[in-house]
Amino acid sequence: MGPILAIFLVISLNLAPDHAQSVTLDSYVVEGLGIYTDATRFLLTKTGDGTWLLHDAQGEPWFVVAVEGPTLSLTNTAGAGDQVDIGAAFGLTADEWWASDVIQPPGASPMLLSHRSDGLDVTLDGLLAAEVRW
């Protein structure tokens, strides 16, 4: 999993409304950059225990994901897990950075977020890089 995908998991799951049962992340590669190396769609489905099942680009279960503020918890299908404060890892402010209109890790191009009623659009270097829908 790449760092931009990890950032978007935190953004998406913090902003998804309580009634959302699924979240899709459509990634488009912009000049070699995107939330994943290939243009693809990731699906997250809500589980009964408040976590989300992240499917890989082929639709297979990949990770069980939980988010609490900036903290991303991942457990792979073999049961091994990890927990990372994504904000601290990427030098983002301690505020609720996932709800802002611009996210810019130090040394990287800013990601512009256009908030919509059904998700958000992400622009990178003036081009649509991703769409998140719930």
Side-chain angles (χ1 to χ4, degrees):
M1 176 179 303
I4 298 177
L5 179 55
I7 289 171
F8 274 93
L9 289 173
V10 170
I11 293 168
S12 301
L13 298 181
N14 271 304
L15 296 180
D18 290 339
H19 68 272
Q21 294 300 305
S22 66
V23 173
T24 58
L25 292 109
D26 287 317
S27 169
Y28 311 113
V29 177
V30 177
E31 296 179 7
L33 297 173
I35 64 172
Y36 199 68
T37 54
D38 298 315
T40 193
R41 171 176 278 183
F42 293 96
L43 173 66
L44 292 117
T45 53
K46 191 178 269 186
T47 65
D49 63 1
T51 61
W52 295 80
L53 180 60
L54 173 63
H55 303 267
D56 65 18
Q58 290 74 43
E60 298 298 320
W62 192 17
F63 288 101
V64 174
V65 180
V67 171
E68 186 173 329
T71 303
L72 175 66
S73 300
L74 298 170
T75 304
N76 66 19
T77 55
D82 201 3
Q83 192 173 53
V84 178
D85 181 330
I86 297 299
F90 293 102
L92 300 169
T93 63
D95 307 3
E96 292 185 358
W97 52 264
W98 53 86
S100 70
D101 293 331
V102 179
I103 297 173
Q104 185 170 10
S109 294
M111 292 178 268
L112 306 178
L113 307 181
S114 299
H115 298 268
R116 304 166 37 111
S117 61
D118 64 343
L120 55 102
D121 293 337
V122 182
T123 305
L124 184 63
D125 294 332
L127 300 171
L128 183 63
E131 294 176 316
V132 178
R133 297 291 182 267
W134 39 77

